Amino acid sequence: MMFNEETTTNAEQLRILENEAKEIPLEKWGPYLSERQWGTVREDYSQNGDAWNYFPHDHARSRVYRWGEDGLAGISDYYQQLCFGIALWNGQDKILKERLYGLTNYQGNHGEDVKELYYYLDNVPTHYYMKYLYKYPQQAFPYLDMNRKNGQRSKSEPEYELLDTGVFDEDKYFDVTVEYAKKNSEDIHIRIEITNRGAEDAPVWLLPTLWFYNRWQYDQSKPKPIIEHEEDGSVRATHVPLGSYHLYYEEPDYTLFTENETNKERLFGTPNDTPFVKDAFHEAVISGTNLEKLKTLNSGTKFSPVYALQIKAKSSQTIKLRLSKGRVKNPFDEKFDAVFIDRKKETDDFYQNLAGKNSTADEMRIQRQALAGLLWSKQYYHYDTQRWLTTSDGISPVVENRLNGRNSSWKYLKNQDVISMPDKWEYPWYAAWDLAFHCVPMAMIDPNFAKNQLILIMREWYMNPEGQIPAYEWNYSDVNPPVQAWAALEVYRIEKEKKGVGDVRFLKRVFQKLIINFTWWTNRVDVEGKNIFAGGFLGLDNIGVFDRNSKLHGDLELEQVDGTSWMGMYALNMMDIALEIAIQDDAFEDSAVKFYEHFVLIADALNGMGLWNEEDRFFYDTLRLQRNHAYHLKVRSIVGLTSLFAVSIFSYHNLEKLRDFRKRATWLNQSREKNRQFLPIIDNSKTGKVLLSIVDKEKLMSMLTRVFDEAEFLAEGGIRALSKAYQNNPYSVDIEGHTYTIQYDPGESTSDMFGGNSNWRGPIWIPINYMVIRALRRYHEFYGDEFQLEYPKGSGKNINLKEAADEISRRLINIFTKDASGKRPVNGNGSDTAFYQKPENADLILFYEYFHGDNSRGVGASHQTGWSALVANLISDMGKGV
């Protein structure tokens, strides 16, 4: 393995290398605690599949979870046996703040949405240093106000956010900063600093909490764990097989023990199994109920030292704790703070050169916070579908409609892993194509974990026997775009550039499983064998003029450009993987030819089956009646642009070693030329390079002319998902007596399609933009500087495709950078603007799910540092002049 000297001497990089030797490249302790376990499918045992109402936020403090835990700024071991997090009380609220609050899909006017202010400030792959910031109002938290006002707003109105409520006015809030620094993998130093931002002294109660995930409720054969006082002033948490851990803490006002057991009396009006239940700390601290009894307890399965603090105006107070596998004599001596200093410096060293020498200090901060969010979004995920379907949660019985309901055909799916999540509150479950995108920025800092994640999603306890990759827990059978092969190549490329050598064994492992998945697509999504693929919504939610998952009546048939284009890209990616492997193992030449042929046939179908509209010079989804008459659905969107993604380049020189592939590919080409069949190949005799692409040069120019048009796709923040041309001229179509209309919606969704919390009808989506940029760079590699287009359209300035890729990259990066007035477009122009211009908030950055098509404001899930972390790759590419 090749590394430069600077890389190998970095302490964090050395720890990452040590993890590479493990079967699973994970640290034992990390940020694996979910930020929302309530309202998830895996906790839903209802008869009607209503996950949000079956386990609501109001139950979360009192009711034991079945499949995992959640918490605030928390950590756990990788099997989530023992958890640590914080709880807070401002002296005003009716409940402790021990988890993040948000609205359900029914309550929000744009679907589910977290209503909190919190930030992932720092993290490294081994989690030897982590930093998290939570902003807690000194006034009563406006739970009811946000619920009521969002419920009153329509789809055409913006969401009512926490900053809109006024609770942060006059700086009447606390900054709660939680830092973790490991002395070693089982000795974790914890520092909690609470800063009063207001002009007056204010009280706050802090409850650092240690608790066990309640597995004993369903498996009484295993010994129940215990947390108990020790003579040295710590508590010892003992668990089989985790072992014993000691939590040391500075002198509190008092300590509390209870059991992590459901308060059945509060929720269901039935007797409790124990007098001490999960929500006991809420009642004790706030109203004094059972406070003295809880103080006298010496053991339990949930424990908190309680600090009743009075923090002076504009001042801070710090509490120190330490979670250690072994006993520690002087847990808070001078070496305690030294560990934070050392780990922080190591973190600085780790990120120092990642962004490239041309990056600004602001861009480096953006990149580091994006990657911190990506790392904080690792989560323990447990879901055994067979057990979930056939057993009770102790509250609701097993019923027939559950046995044959949601995910009932996925009984073999048995997930229990740490997985990179899209957003640990809004989407605390993996999504197949999201995860593939997460792995690309992850490869910059921890390629082994990125590779592991791609392999994991295709293991036999995820992929079904027919080869389908599970989409997400709400419906594992939904179809997401097949981007895993593309992501595997990206991860391979990034690691090869970083280390000087590519991991061909990794390519072999994913290739074997991808063959199975590719076969599933060809057998199930191209049922008529025409090489025209369907797939329904394909992850793009409301992109269609109607719900593309809906079944059409009669002889109507929907032929999808994106389904077909994704498969063309898939075939080409598989060919590229096979060729890369074949350089070392020529047994893979046969597979390379097979996927080359697949690509040719798919490209032929997309170009020859009527999906291209010559008048508009664009690809459109097509309705076909009785397999004859075709009707274009003239919606210019990302759907048509996916045809640009299938692009590959190879040189004849490199094929000298692969004579069999060259021989057989040449025969296929000559046969098709002889029969005057479409051939998606362009030779460059000067360079010896060969371009494989669904679109020829003329179609590429026509489509990019629209992409570079600010009246259509090109926005200040990147490429829109839907042309702006439909803002004043919506597109309508009559189908079977129904009129369907699509209009440019640059921000939040104004429809309920797919829950209404995502919108592909105008906003900017970073993962799709990233794919456009990567494709432009490949096209430039072949066509060179001579291929130029006007950018932006109407400017009179022509640039080549590499320059266009750079320009779009800058627009995306500028979503997050400060402008001349110190504002970041991501924060919008509403009540957020002044808040984020305060010195203490100026460098706090959120990475949203998508971004407004006109002003680049962040929209949707606010912590989607899964795929939106791809901006980190763009910063490195621009900073290093790629």
Side-chain angles (χ1 to χ4, degrees):
M1 207 171 273
M2 297 171 59
F3 291 90
N4 59 47
E5 182 180 354
E6 182 179 15
T7 301
T8 53
T9 55
N10 179 274
E12 174 60 18
Q13 188 63 54
L14 290 173
R15 286 190 289 265
I16 295 171
L17 289 175
E18 290 174 5
N19 279 343
E20 288 188 9
K22 300 177 183 177
E23 181 180 355
I24 301 173
L26 272 180
E27 268 291 313
K28 188 168 187 176
W29 286 85
Y32 311 140
L33 196 62
S34 176
E35 287 172 336
R36 178 174 63 82
Q37 185 71 12
W38 60 272
T40 59
V41 166
R42 54 197 183 277
E43 296 292 343
D44 176 25
Y45 286 80
S46 66
Q47 295 187 31
N48 61 355
D50 186 356
W52 287 110
N53 285 322
Y54 184 75
F55 204 135
H57 176 268
D58 185 55
H59 283 205
R61 66 183 183 276
S62 306
R63 185 168 156 190
V64 171
Y65 293 124
R66 175 70 182 87
W67 296 99
E69 292 286 339
D70 62 14
L72 180 59
I75 60 172
S76 77
D77 65 280
Y78 50 47
Y79 283 118
Q80 203 156 102
Q81 296 160 126
L82 184 61
C83 309
F84 176 88
I86 66 167
L88 300 160
W89 186 49
N90 54 16
Q92 303 292 324
D93 291 337
K94 294 181 179 180
I95 61 173
L96 300 180
K97 176 65 69 175
E98 62 178 354
R99 59 182 47 79
L100 298 171
Y101 174 73
L103 302 183
T104 70
N105 186 265
Y106 308 121
Q107 295 169 334
N109 61 323
H110 295 288
E112 64 263 35
D113 188 50
V114 67
K115 300 299 183 184
E116 303 271 14
L117 291 178
Y118 60 104
Y119 307 86
Y120 304 129
L121 297 184
D122 224 343
N123 210 324
V124 286
T126 64
H127 314 302
Y128 263 61
Y129 181 74
M130 300 188 290
K131 190 174 183 180
Y132 183 110
L133 172 63
Y134 175 72
K135 290 183 176 289
Y136 188 40
Q138 293 171 8
Q139 301 176 49
F141 196 90
Y143 295 102
L144 295 178
D145 181 44
M146 286 190 292
N147 194 334
R148 180 175 54 84
K149 288 187 178 175
N150 275 284
Q152 293 171 345
R153 293 193 176 191
S154 68
K155 291 286 183 186
S156 61
E157 294 177 282
E159 295 173 358
Y160 183 64
E161 301 290 6
L162 186 58
L163 283 174
D164 298 326
T165 67
V167 294
F168 287 92
D169 292 353
E170 300 177 13
D171 294 334
K172 291 182 178 181
Y173 67 91
F174 299 105
D175 271 352
V176 184
T177 304
V178 183
E179 283 182 288
Y180 297 94
K182 297 181 186 177
K183 182 178 181 181
N184 57 56
S185 62
E186 295 184 311
D187 187 356
I188 306 165
H189 295 46
I190 305 165
R191 196 162 61 185
I192 304 168
E193 181 184 51
I194 304 181
T195 302
N196 179 358
R197 293 294 181 189
E200 299 176 359
D201 299 356
V204 64
W205 283 253
L206 170 67
L207 288 79
T209 307
L210 187 71
W211 75 100
F212 283 113
Y213 168 21
N214 186 340
R215 282 183 167 93
W216 59 89
Q217 62 180 321
Y218 300 105
D219 190 355
Q220 297 180 0
S221 64
K222 294 181 179 179
K224 182 179 176 180
I226 188 171
I227 305 172
E228 53 193 338
H229 273 307
E230 288 283 281
E231 292 181 357
D232 63 359
S234 70
V235 292
R236 181 176 64 182
T238 304
H239 180 283
V240 177
L242 181 64
S244 294
Y245 279 81
H246 293 262
L247 179 68
Y248 295 91
Y249 46 91
E250 291 186 311
E251 186 68 27
D253 288 86
Y254 52 89
T255 63
L256 298 176
F257 280 97
T258 191
E259 299 292 342
N260 189 12
E261 298 277 6
T262 297
N263 187 343
K264 297 178 182 179
E265 184 177 332
R266 173 183 176 258
L267 297 177
F268 312 115
T270 58
N272 286 325
D273 298 329
T274 170
F276 308 110
V277 288
K278 180 178 178 179
D279 59 9
F281 297 170
H282 292 258
E283 298 297 326
V285 173
I286 295 172
S287 64
T289 304
N290 288 328
L291 177 60
E292 296 308 316
K293 287 183 180 179
L294 294 175
K295 285 181 180 179
T296 63
L297 295 179
N298 290 310
S299 65
T301 49
K302 183 176 180 180
F303 167 78
S304 284
V306 180
Y307 300 89
L309 308 174
Q310 182 74 13
I311 302 183
K312 294 185 179 299
K314 306 296 183 182
S315 299
S316 302
Q317 195 163 338
T318 300
I319 301 297
K320 300 175 182 178
L321 303 98
R322 186 168 176 176
L323 183 62
S324 175
K325 181 76 170 177
R327 294 181 183 275
V328 181
K329 285 187 177 181
N330 298 302
F332 305 116
D333 60 14
E334 69 280 358
K335 296 178 182 178
F336 180 87
D337 288 325
V339 171
F340 285 91
I341 294 170
D342 291 345
R343 297 296 174 260
K344 177 64 166 57
K345 183 181 184 306
E346 292 166 4
T347 302
D348 293 341
D349 292 343
F350 178 73
Y351 285 112
Q352 183 177 7
N353 298 308
L354 191 64
K357 63 182 180 180
N358 296 326
S359 297
T360 66
D362 193 33
E363 289 168 346
M364 293 171 70
R365 280 191 294 269
I366 294 164
Q367 182 185 61
R368 185 158 164 175
Q369 284 190 50
L371 295 172
L374 183 69
L375 293 167
W376 269 102
S377 296
K378 291 182 184 179
Q379 179 189 308
Y380 169 81
Y381 183 87
H382 189 195
Y383 188 23
D384 183 327
T385 313
Q386 173 75 19
R387 195 186 310 169
W388 177 74
L389 288 167
T390 59
T391 61
S392 167
D393 62 349
I395 298 169
S396 299
V398 178
V399 291
E400 187 68 25
N401 39 340
R402 282 194 68 244
L403 291 172
N404 299 296
R406 176 179 283 139
N407 296 331
S408 57
S409 63
W410 290 78
K411 294 183 177 67
Y412 40 79
L413 185 139
K414 300 181 184 298
N415 301 163
Q416 189 176 6
D417 296 284
V418 171
I419 305 175
S420 177
M421 296 295 163
D423 180 314
K424 288 206 300 187
W425 192 95
E426 191 144 340
Y427 306 119
W429 31 261
Y430 66 86
W433 81 312
D434 294 61
L435 182 59
F437 286 115
H438 302 177
C439 292
V440 178
M442 186 69 75
M444 298 173 63
I445 52 176
D446 193 353
N448 212 45
F449 184 75
K451 292 183 291 184
N452 174 269
Q453 293 284 283
L454 285 171
I455 291 168
L456 180 67
I457 196 70
M458 292 181 281
R459 294 302 300 267
E460 56 274 15
W461 53 91
Y462 286 81
M463 179 186 283
N464 77 15
E466 296 172 334
Q468 184 179 8
I469 295 172
Y472 45 81
E473 68 176 30
W474 287 93
N475 185 358
Y476 281 126
S477 294
D478 264 349
V479 182
N480 278 179
V483 293
Q484 285 73 29
W486 171 86
L489 281 169
E490 284 288 292
V491 169
Y492 176 83
R493 173 187 63 83
I494 291 168
E495 184 181 36
K496 189 174 182 180
E497 291 173 358
K498 182 181 179 70
K499 297 183 177 180
V501 61
D503 186 350
V504 175
R505 181 176 178 273
F506 159 68
L507 290 183
K508 286 184 175 182
R509 290 189 69 186
V510 295
F511 187 76
Q512 303 297 340
K513 289 299 183 75
L514 288 168
I515 286 176
I516 301 170
N517 178 246
F518 189 93
T519 303
W520 175 83
W521 271 85
T522 56
N523 290 339
R524 287 301 182 91
V525 191
D526 176 28
V527 292
E528 296 187 5
K530 299 186 302 183
N531 292 298
I532 294 292
F533 293 82
F537 85 112
L538 284 172
L540 304 183
D541 291 28
N542 62 347
I543 193 76
V545 67
F546 57 83
D547 181 355
R548 299 193 300 169
N549 267 1
S550 61
K551 189 170 181 62
L552 297 172
H553 298 291
D555 294 318
L556 281 176
E557 182 181 313
L558 180 65
E559 297 177 343
Q560 293 184 218
V561 173
D562 52 342
T564 307
S565 297
W566 287 123
M567 282 303 290
M569 185 189 80
Y570 197 173
L572 207 50
N573 295 152
M574 291 294 279
M575 183 203 75
D576 285 340
I577 292 173
L579 287 174
E580 187 72 16
I581 298 170
I583 293 173
Q584 296 185 17
D585 185 348
D586 60 10
F588 281 77
E589 280 190 84
D590 289 348
S591 294
V593 174
K594 177 64 175 172
F595 285 107
Y596 172 72
E597 182 179 5
H598 268 298
F599 168 70
V600 170
L601 294 174
I602 294 169
D604 183 13
L606 190 63
N607 282 275
M609 295 287 286
L611 280 75
W612 175 258
N613 184 282
E614 189 61 36
E615 179 184 0
D616 291 353
R617 304 290 294 169
F618 206 82
F619 281 109
Y620 293 129
D621 278 354
T622 301
L623 277 176
R624 193 172 294 276
L625 179 62
Q626 297 177 341
R627 303 183 185 181
N628 186 12
H629 177 70
Y631 181 84
H632 284 138
L633 300 173
K634 294 188 175 184
V635 179
R636 291 189 297 281
S637 72
I638 287 294
V639 168
L641 297 184
T642 55
S643 59
L644 303 176
F645 300 159
V647 54
S648 181
I649 300 169
F650 59 77
S651 68
Y652 284 119
H653 173 73
N654 291 341
L655 293 182
E656 286 299 324
K657 299 177 182 178
L658 304 173
R659 294 180 181 179
D660 191 50
F661 172 83
R662 182 171 183 177
K663 177 182 176 181
R664 292 164 67 182
T666 300
W667 177 87
L668 177 64
N669 296 348
Q670 292 174 345
S671 174
R672 293 186 67 83
E673 288 174 348
K674 182 178 179 180
N675 291 292
R676 297 181 179 179
Q677 293 173 300
F678 179 81
L679 197 60
I681 299 171
I682 303 174
D683 288 340
N684 188 325
S685 57
K686 294 181 180 180
T687 63
K689 291 180 179 179
V690 178
L691 175 74
L692 301 179
S693 172
I694 284 178
V695 296
D696 60 23
K697 189 173 184 179
E698 288 71 27
K699 287 177 179 173
L700 178 64
M701 292 180 70
S702 297
M703 295 179 73
L704 289 181
T705 298
R706 293 192 183 276
V707 172
F708 298 163
D709 186 349
E710 292 177 320
E712 289 221 33
F713 286 100
L714 187 61
E716 284 296 317
I719 305 300
R720 302 180 178 103
L722 181 76
S723 171
K724 193 174 182 179
Y726 303 108
Q727 182 174 34
N728 298 320
N729 298 287
Y731 174 78
S732 295
V733 61
D734 291 322
I735 302 172
E736 299 174 328
H738 297 280
T739 299
Y740 298 93
T741 301
I742 189 169
Q743 183 172 5
Y744 173 72
D745 276 338
E748 292 86 352
S749 174
T750 58
S751 78
D752 287 320
M753 197 183 297
F754 291 92
N757 58 331
S758 293
N759 182 24
W760 290 83
R761 295 183 171 185
I764 299 154
W765 292 77
I766 287 182
I768 296 297
N769 274 257
Y770 183 84
M771 296 189 79
V772 170
I773 290 165
R774 293 295 302 155
L776 289 175
R777 295 195 187 284
R778 298 307 303 276
Y779 287 119
H780 175 264
E781 185 182 341
F782 180 80
Y783 288 117
D785 293 342
E786 292 76 23
F787 187 116
Q788 296 196 355
L789 288 171
E790 189 178 32
Y791 179 98
K793 183 180 178 181
S795 67
K797 177 185 176 183
N798 287 356
I799 61 175
N800 63 47
L801 296 187
K802 178 186 180 301
E803 291 169 331
D806 289 346
E807 287 297 320
I808 296 170
S809 296
R810 288 191 186 96
R811 290 185 180 225
L812 288 160
I813 294 168
N814 286 344
I815 291 174
F816 307 97
T817 56
K818 294 178 183 177
D819 62 18
S821 66
K823 297 178 182 178
R824 300 182 191 273
V826 64
N827 295 326
N829 295 313
S831 54
D832 294 10
T833 304
F835 182 80
Y836 284 108
Q837 287 193 287
K838 295 177 183 291
E840 64 271 19
N841 301 328
D843 292 328
L844 301 179
I845 304 162
L846 293 176
F847 298 85
Y848 286 80
E849 183 180 4
Y850 53 101
F851 303 87
H852 197 284
D854 291 337
N855 59 35
S856 303
R857 171 177 59 85
V859 191
S862 57
H863 290 71
Q864 193 131 345
T865 34
W867 62 20
S868 290
L870 283 162
V871 71
N873 296 74
L874 298 178
I875 289 171
S876 281
D877 288 348
M878 296 299 291
K880 295 175 181 177
V882 172

